[in-house]
Amino acid sequence: MLALAALALPLFHAPADAQEQKREIELRLVALSRGYARPLVGTVARLRGVAGIDAVEALGAGGDAMRFKVTTSLDDQALADALKLKVQGSAPGALTLAAVDDARSRHAEARGTVMQIALAIMAQPKPSWGRDSKPLFEGAPSLKQKLEKLGLKPALLQGNLYKLDDYHIDEEWEGSGGEYRIWAGDEWEGVYVPSDDWYFSDDPEDTKDKPVKPDSRFVGIRVYRSPWSSSLSWVDMEGLQLSGFESSRDDTNGEGELYIKEGAEWLHNILRALAALRVREPDRKLERLPQGRGWMIISELGGDDEEAGLQRWDLRHFDIQDFRLSWRDEDGRLIANLKVHHPAHPFYLEAEVDTNQVIDACKKTMNKEELSQLKRAELGDALTWIVAAEESVEVFQRRRNEAAANFERIREALKKASAKHALDQLCGSLDDAGLAGRLGIELPKDGAFAPAEYQIRPQMLGDVEISVGTPRSGGRYWVLANAASGEVIRSSQ
């Protein structure tokens, strides 16, 4: 991903007598389909065909934006109209356009800036091993001083929607390495993303659930630096899903078995051990039960961890650091909740156990000696899967087939409806009865995906992106097509 300058700047209008003259600007297209960037050369060719645009050169893509050097005789609004987009911000020499004014397009400005800061941190020399290694921002307490150390100017942070005071760079130094939180917004809302470096310990705050706020302005990246490696990851849900993942939920081992099922078996095994701990020590208080992340979960379960099967080193996509345990008290009944990864992750799993129900069941069939020696409890209907593993790889194939078939139906419906309706009347979610009526289409309600999961989002030049699914359903499937002609420009299939 390429570093981006601030994506939107205070509104500027060229004088009327200069608007017909050719000018060279940086055109920034934000929050559009990733299909336009695969590859950028195809988008460049289409932009060159727009009347009023004389020359186009691709500058790069990243941070949910594409940048082009454009020579044009059109003023800002005329250029936006020609591309069938909306002006999000403009300044001398720069113009930012988006298809709609929504949270994603507004976040795009901060996303580019946060990425540039994160990349500047990762470009610094790796810290040396030893307790005398110095923090990167030692002697630079203010944001402006930190930017100066990175060779960046504070003006980078003065955008249209986000200002200097909205940005933060937090350093947590651990002696020979550190964790860096680079973010914009009102408060930190980042999800936990583990480092590949064993050096970094758990942060207790990362074990707590943080509900996503619908009007949140938060955009964030976490960077880890150590003498051995550096890593970078988005920590806001939107950024995580936009950047994608290297593997999908339908990934299988050499025998064709789903890794997600193996992860679920591991989760189940840990919950059995936790329930057994409560059977052995039913009077242990909630605050003294194992909780948190990683090793804190299995540290008190007794026995050799590897021999007991509570730690595994051979399972792809899952590590003990990915597990997070919490408890809640419901009228004296202690409920254990165990999650793997975060809700935007393709291998997310979540289950919980009413441990009091397990205790009651065991007392009916075991004597005191058996209760005191129990290492694994049978969970029965005390176990509730909130997000379970799929049974087989065929489940994902059926989902892909259904998505492809419905995309074809939606494209044909859009092609016909475009003759009667404006494009903005043909976009939205397909659980909208009015939209479905204008399209003349009704999707099955008993399919793998509900109608509400199908989204039609406007793009540029009369295109739309039709999408369905999430990383947790096997991936986000999408097709970028022209609404009026039905021509497919790009597809995830």
Side-chain angles (χ1 to χ4, degrees):
M1 293 180 284
L2 301 178
L4 302 176
L7 295 177
L9 300 169
L11 195 63
F12 172 87
H13 291 290
D17 59 358
Q19 291 181 359
E20 295 302 320
Q21 299 176 3
K22 290 184 181 179
R23 59 187 181 132
E24 185 176 271
I25 62 169
E26 182 175 304
L27 176 64
R28 300 157 183 168
L29 306 181
V30 302
L32 296 181
S33 171
R34 69 179 66 177
Y36 288 120
R38 295 183 174 181
L40 273 175
V41 65
T43 301
V44 167
R46 294 187 71 197
L47 290 174
R48 285 174 178 160
V50 175
I53 293 180
D54 298 287
V56 182
E57 177 185 340
L59 298 178
D64 204 18
M66 297 173 288
R67 298 182 302 126
F68 306 89
K69 183 166 69 175
V70 172
T71 302
T72 180
S73 58
L74 303 174
D75 67 13
D76 291 347
Q77 188 58 56
L79 183 55
D81 293 342
L83 297 179
K84 299 184 180 179
L85 296 173
K86 301 179 187 301
V87 175
Q88 189 184 68
S90 65
L95 174 64
T96 301
L97 303 180
V100 293
D101 179 23
D102 62 1
R104 178 182 163 188
S105 64
R106 292 191 292 272
H107 291 160
E109 174 182 308
R111 200 170 294 288
T113 305
V114 165
M115 174 59 75
Q116 184 162 342
I117 297 171
L119 291 174
I121 290 174
M122 292 189 72
Q124 301 302 306
K126 287 186 174 65
S128 59
W129 171 250
R131 305 304 294 184
D132 59 344
S133 186
K134 302 296 184 183
L136 176 60
F137 296 122
E138 185 176 55
S142 73
L143 178 61
K144 289 184 179 180
Q145 289 170 322
K146 291 173 183 175
L147 290 172
E148 288 172 1
K149 281 214 166 190
L150 297 173
L152 301 174
K153 296 181 179 180
L156 170 71
L157 279 57
Q158 290 291 357
N160 184 48
L161 304 173
Y162 289 82
K163 305 298 182 183
L164 183 66
D165 291 342
D166 291 316
Y167 290 91
H168 309 266
I169 305 174
D170 302 329
E171 177 182 52
E172 184 173 339
W173 188 249
E174 298 287 348
S176 291
E179 174 191 320
Y180 299 82
R181 295 179 173 184
I182 307 99
W183 57 284
D186 303 319
E187 61 179 327
W188 174 262
E189 301 172 31
V191 301
Y192 176 79
V193 179
S195 168
D196 293 333
D197 195 329
W198 60 268
Y199 179 75
F200 295 99
S201 58
D202 300 319
D203 181 346
E205 287 299 311
D206 284 325
T207 67
K208 299 178 181 178
D209 284 322
K210 305 177 184 70
V212 177
K213 301 175 183 177
D215 57 348
S216 173
R217 300 175 69 240
F218 176 73
V219 171
I221 285 177
R222 183 186 273 113
V223 169
Y224 292 103
R225 294 175 66 240
S226 80
W228 306 280
S229 64
S230 296
S231 63
L232 173 156
S233 177
W234 292 107
V235 291
D236 62 283
M237 294 291 187
E238 182 184 81
L240 283 163
Q241 295 188 71
L242 286 171
S243 58
F245 297 88
E246 293 182 0
S247 300
S248 60
R249 196 175 177 93
D250 62 348
D251 199 4
T252 59
N253 61 23
E255 287 72 45
E257 292 294 322
L258 290 169
Y259 282 110
I260 191 69
K261 286 189 69 175
E262 294 189 73
E265 290 167 4
W266 188 4
L267 181 151
H268 185 233
N269 203 30
I270 294 174
L271 284 176
R272 289 185 63 202
L274 288 166
L277 173 63
R278 286 230 59 223
V279 171
R280 296 194 305 271
E281 303 179 41
D283 297 326
R284 187 189 282 212
K285 300 296 184 182
L286 184 148
E287 59 269 17
R288 292 187 55 244
L289 290 168
Q291 55 191 299
R293 188 178 297 283
W295 292 104
M296 292 187 288
I297 299 175
I298 62 176
S299 60
E300 298 182 55
L301 295 181
D304 180 88
D305 293 335
E306 187 171 356
E307 185 178 302
L310 298 182
Q311 169 62 304
R312 294 188 61 172
W313 305 100
D314 62 335
L315 185 53
R316 190 180 177 192
H317 305 307
F318 295 93
D319 182 270
I320 192 61
Q321 288 299 110
D322 300 324
F323 287 76
R324 178 161 57 98
L325 173 66
S326 62
W327 297 81
R328 69 177 185 275
D329 186 331
E330 291 188 354
D331 299 323
R333 306 184 72 81
L334 300 186
I335 313 297
N337 179 282
L338 188 59
K339 299 179 175 72
V340 192
H341 295 297
H342 53 76
H345 199 280
F347 293 93
Y348 181 72
L349 292 165
E350 182 179 356
E352 59 185 29
V353 171
D354 181 338
T355 57
N356 284 67
Q357 186 176 335
V358 176
I359 292 171
D360 294 341
C362 288
K363 284 182 176 179
K364 293 178 182 179
T365 59
M366 298 180 183
N367 57 40
K368 288 185 178 180
E369 179 67 18
E370 290 171 327
L371 292 173
S372 67
Q373 297 298 318
L374 186 65
K375 298 295 184 183
R376 295 287 185 279
E378 294 301 322
L379 302 180
D381 58 7
L383 171 67
T384 300
W385 282 100
I386 298 171
V387 178
E390 286 79 358
E391 285 301 314
S392 68
V393 72
E394 286 75 24
V395 172
F396 298 97
Q397 187 58 54
R398 287 195 295 271
R399 289 174 183 170
R400 282 192 291 271
N401 292 343
E402 178 183 309
N406 283 334
F407 284 172
E408 180 70 18
R409 295 177 61 197
I410 295 169
R411 283 196 304 109
E412 289 299 317
L414 280 165
K415 186 176 178 180
K416 294 178 181 177
S418 292
K420 299 179 181 178
H421 303 281
L423 186 59
D424 61 355
Q425 295 295 307
L426 299 176
C427 294
S429 169
L430 281 177
D431 63 336
D432 180 342
L435 172 59
R438 288 188 291 275
L439 289 172
I441 189 173
E442 183 176 355
L443 298 182
K445 294 182 174 57
D446 58 351
F449 298 107
E453 296 179 80
Y454 286 89
Q455 299 288 326
I456 304 173
R457 181 182 170 90
Q459 302 294 310
M460 69 174 188
L461 297 172
D463 300 337
V464 294
E465 183 187 73
I466 311 164
S467 66
V468 72
T470 67
R472 279 165 46 185
S473 66
R476 178 178 178 269
Y477 310 122
W478 55 268
V479 59
L480 176 63
N482 185 266
S485 70
E487 177 188 358
V488 174
I489 300 162
R490 295 283 186 278
S491 173
S492 64
Q493 296 296 319

